[in-house]
Amino acid sequence: MDPGGAISNFRQGAFGILDGLRWSGAQRGEETVLEDGKLTINDSRTGKDYPLRIQNSSIRAIELRQIRQDPDEFGMLSYDPGYTNTASCTSRIAYIDGAKGILRYRGYPIEQLAERCSYTEVAHLLLNGELPTRHELEIWNQDVMAHSRVHENVKKFMDGFLYDAHPMGVLVSTVAALSTFYPDAKNIESRSNRKRQHVRLVSKIPTIAAYVYRKSQGYPYPEPNWDLSYSENFIHMLWNGTRREPRAEHVKILGRALDTLFILHADHEQNCSTSTMRQVASSDADPYVCVSSAAAALYGPLHGGANEAVLTMLDRIGSKHRIPEFMEKVKAGEQRLMGFGHRVYKNYDPRARIVRNVADQVFEITDRNPKIELAMELERIALEDDYFIKRKLYPNIDFYSGIIYEAMGFRPEMFTVLFAIGRVAGWLAHWEEFMADPEKRIARPRQVYTGQDKRDFVPIDERLERAQDEVL
Ligand code: SDX
């Protein structure tokens, strides 16, 4: 019995009816959701049949709640650790076909966008649903560049970190701190206000990223150069006045490579960090703490931190003749082949293929990173090995990206920051879509309780000693 008693029953009933109206053909946004068919579940415990509606090849989990052995029961839940088979929302932003290795942003194949767009053009597409006209792009670029400076106190805030603080720790903290500089961002109901935060975040993240890098190298913080493109200005803020400053003719090639990498990282449907963005946004938190939370999720080595972990792995392997020994450890479950495998792609990640091509462009102006040969040999061996074939493990976007970043002059600790620069457009596009979703509700999953049944208090002198590391 739900602890909330009668009120909870009323809410369940009301939401159930409301839910039903929303989902069964009621107008949702500009489209009517049609029913694809019916799924009948037979509960062998009671012999009862339950017809569930199928729409978009899915059923509404809330309709499982009618399945009960006893009328007073709470009702059936779906149990799905890691949400491996649970849709948390509808979205029109990215489309992935994992079996075929397809990725599209707003319907456009990633291969075409990577080859023919600038990053800010794709950011506009993700945030607004359409590729910008020439005039729209000009205005958008001017807006983004005009907001690329940060408040002097943000620099002071960043100075509080140790010189060797991990760049992602600084980025996550500094983006959250921006929420104190822009209290107007709490007015999340206003579309024009939300658009102002889109611009501020897309423009300030690279500035913060560049300043994290400069601080770690002991260099002063340069001001953005508004006459440059988004990626070329990032290069300017990173290396202007330092021994790494690239030759003028190389800035264009490096800028193009970064644009492509930012595009490839820009969105990827409900990945861990993007669904974190939506989860935090569901409590009506402001966009800065939402983006900071998403960046925190990205930081993990199983997600965006994998590009840094790939370099650490390659350094540990060291040379081709040590690959067999390493692979044995992977197949024994002692190690993971970082940069391989994906929750959705059970084929080659289409972005990994494009990243591989970007590597050749970058190596034309930098020294060829010898780790690329080691990575290619690892890939060759893995793609021929039954362990990986059986589990459909292929290179993902992180397998080669770090090798390029290192060749450009970035230290591995910066790689996930570079991932975040590209992904901020996707996080904000999902925030915008969520804020406009008629089904927007605070995220509050259920649980299957497997703990102790009711028991009475035990006075301290009557409690039994337990092994310290025993966790119940
Ligand atoms: C990103 O979601 C996204 O879209 C993410 C991303 C994006 O753009 O946002 O694409 C970016 O995060 C890419 C992934 C980067 N992470 C890594 O490269 C870390 C290494 N890969 C994994 O740890 C793993 O593949 C995940 C986390 C990516 C996916 O994990 P799943 O889907 O939960 O798969 P799993 O852990 O259940 O593995 C299934 C099997 C297991 O073997 P068995 O238990 O069946 O014997 O495959 C094995 C795993 O051991 N396996 C690996 C492996 N990945 C999975 N074995 C060795 N090396 C690996 N990399």
Side-chain angles (χ1 to χ4, degrees):
M1 172 64 177
D2 180 288
I7 293 175
S8 160
N9 276 334
F10 169 74
R11 279 174 51 79
Q12 285 171 29
F15 277 121
I17 293 166
L18 187 59
D19 243 338
L21 282 177
R22 276 200 199 117
W23 192 248
S24 61
Q27 286 295 330
R28 231 190 64 233
E30 67 282 0
E31 75 206 15
T32 299
V33 180
L34 300 174
E35 194 166 306
D36 305 341
K38 283 241 184 305
L39 177 73
T40 301
I41 293 180
N42 173 268
D43 184 348
S44 62
R45 303 171 301 176
T46 61
K48 285 179 72 178
D49 282 349
Y50 298 90
L52 305 186
R53 285 163 300 182
I54 302 171
Q55 278 140 348
N56 296 322
S57 302
S58 59
I59 58 166
R60 277 189 157 271
I62 194 74
E63 295 197 0
L64 294 171
R65 285 268 288 284
Q66 59 185 311
I67 302 173
R68 296 185 172 103
Q69 292 189 83
D70 179 318
D72 286 341
E73 264 182 23
F74 179 72
M76 186 158 292
L77 292 174
S78 62
Y79 174 57
D80 188 10
Y83 309 122
T84 52
N85 193 47
T86 294
S88 60
C89 63
T90 60
S91 180
R92 294 190 285 274
I93 299 171
Y95 171 75
I96 302 175
D97 181 325
K100 296 180 186 144
I102 290 172
L103 169 61
R104 299 181 195 134
Y105 292 165
R106 301 285 188 180
Y108 295 99
I110 190 67
E111 294 80 2
Q112 294 180 23
L113 296 174
E115 185 187 339
R116 306 175 67 176
C117 289
S118 67
Y119 170 70
T120 52
E121 201 173 354
V122 169
H124 184 284
L125 168 68
L126 291 171
L127 286 162
N128 301 288
E130 294 299 339
L131 285 168
T133 61
R134 188 175 299 279
H135 175 64
E136 288 167 341
L137 183 58
E138 200 177 303
I139 299 295
W140 168 243
N141 282 336
Q142 282 167 8
D143 246 3
V144 166
M145 294 315 290
H147 285 80
S148 52
R149 300 180 77 165
V150 293
H151 192 289
E152 285 305 304
N153 286 18
V154 172
K155 297 175 187 174
K156 293 191 183 103
F157 175 84
M158 295 178 74
D159 278 340
F161 290 93
L162 295 176
Y163 80 96
D164 61 351
H166 193 290
M168 275 305 285
V170 180
L171 180 77
V172 168
S173 314
T174 307
V175 171
L178 286 182
S179 75
T180 67
F181 287 82
Y182 305 109
D184 63 318
K186 288 180 172 54
N187 176 16
I188 56 172
E189 297 309 324
S190 155
R191 164 89 170 132
S192 60
N193 190 322
R194 296 200 301 266
K195 287 175 75 106
R196 191 176 314 126
Q197 315 315 325
H198 297 167
V199 174
R200 283 174 172 158
L201 277 155
V202 169
S203 61
K204 294 179 192 309
I205 297 268
T207 303
I208 293 168
Y211 288 179
V212 175
Y213 175 80
R214 300 277 297 198
K215 178 180 170 54
S216 72
Q217 305 295 308
Y219 294 127
Y221 300 138
E223 288 309 320
N225 179 338
W226 294 348
D227 298 331
L228 298 175
S229 75
Y230 186 85
S231 293
E232 290 171 14
N233 173 56
F234 180 52
I235 291 167
H236 158 76
M237 290 195 288
L238 284 165
W239 290 311
N240 173 271
T242 72
R243 60 185 173 78
R244 284 193 177 279
E245 183 166 3
R247 298 208 307 256
E249 65 273 22
H250 288 171
V251 172
K252 279 265 176 274
I253 297 172
L254 285 174
R256 182 64 218 147
L258 279 174
D259 253 18
T260 305
L261 289 163
F262 291 156
I263 289 169
L264 294 175
H265 287 85
D267 190 52
H268 215 238
E269 59 147 85
Q270 299 310 312
N271 58 81
C272 180
S273 55
T274 300
S275 45
T276 300
M277 180 83 188
R278 283 176 172 258
Q279 174 102 7
V280 177
S282 77
S283 71
D284 281 357
D286 75 65
Y288 296 95
V289 292
C290 292
V291 167
S292 170
S293 310
L298 187 75
Y299 192 178
L302 291 186
H303 187 16
N307 51 20
E308 179 181 352
V310 168
L311 264 290
T312 310
M313 173 186 74
L314 294 174
D315 286 337
R316 206 170 50 239
I317 295 169
S319 62
K320 287 184 185 179
H321 75 270
R322 294 188 54 195
I323 290 178
E325 170 199 349
F326 173 75
M327 285 303 214
E328 285 317 306
K329 288 183 180 164
V330 169
K331 293 190 277 189
E334 295 164 25
Q335 305 262 359
R336 285 224 156 175
L337 178 53
M338 301 310 276
F340 251 69
H342 199 277
R343 174 64 58 78
V344 177
Y345 289 122
K346 300 310 172 190
N347 197 325
Y348 212 100
D349 182 335
R351 303 168 297 173
R353 195 171 281 118
I354 301 169
V355 169
R356 185 67 198 74
N357 296 335
V358 170
D360 295 333
Q361 297 160 21
V362 170
F363 294 153
E364 278 172 21
I365 57 171
T366 67
D367 298 333
R368 184 172 178 81
N369 189 334
K371 290 171 190 162
I372 192 93
E373 318 309 334
L374 187 55
M376 288 165 63
E377 181 62 4
L378 258 174
E379 175 186 348
R380 185 191 65 75
I381 292 172
L383 295 185
E384 293 171 0
D385 187 297
D386 190 50
Y387 174 93
F388 295 88
I389 295 168
K390 201 166 67 176
R391 291 168 177 80
K392 298 185 179 178
L393 302 175
Y394 292 88
N396 59 52
I397 190 167
D398 293 308
F399 191 62
Y400 287 110
S401 55
I403 295 167
I404 301 174
Y405 292 143
E406 187 176 60
M408 284 178 167
F410 292 104
R411 299 156 59 89
E413 302 80 39
M414 276 295 288
F415 295 175
T416 311
V417 171
L418 299 168
F419 193 142
I421 293 174
R423 187 53 55 92
V424 73
W427 290 334
L428 290 168
H430 281 271
W431 176 56
E432 192 55 40
E433 186 175 66
F434 178 71
M435 293 307 294
D437 190 332
E439 295 201 87
K440 172 179 176 290
R441 292 173 80 181
I442 188 166
R444 203 278 183 217
R446 298 290 183 165
Q447 64 172 20
V448 174
Y449 179 70
T450 57
Q452 298 274 359
D453 203 342
K454 180 176 177 297
R455 54 179 174 164
D456 293 325
F457 176 79
V458 179
I460 190 162
D461 295 327
E462 297 171 25
R463 295 169 197 164
L464 305 174
E465 288 298 329
R466 265 200 332 269
Q468 280 313 305
D469 62 352
E470 183 192 356
V471 176
L472 293 179

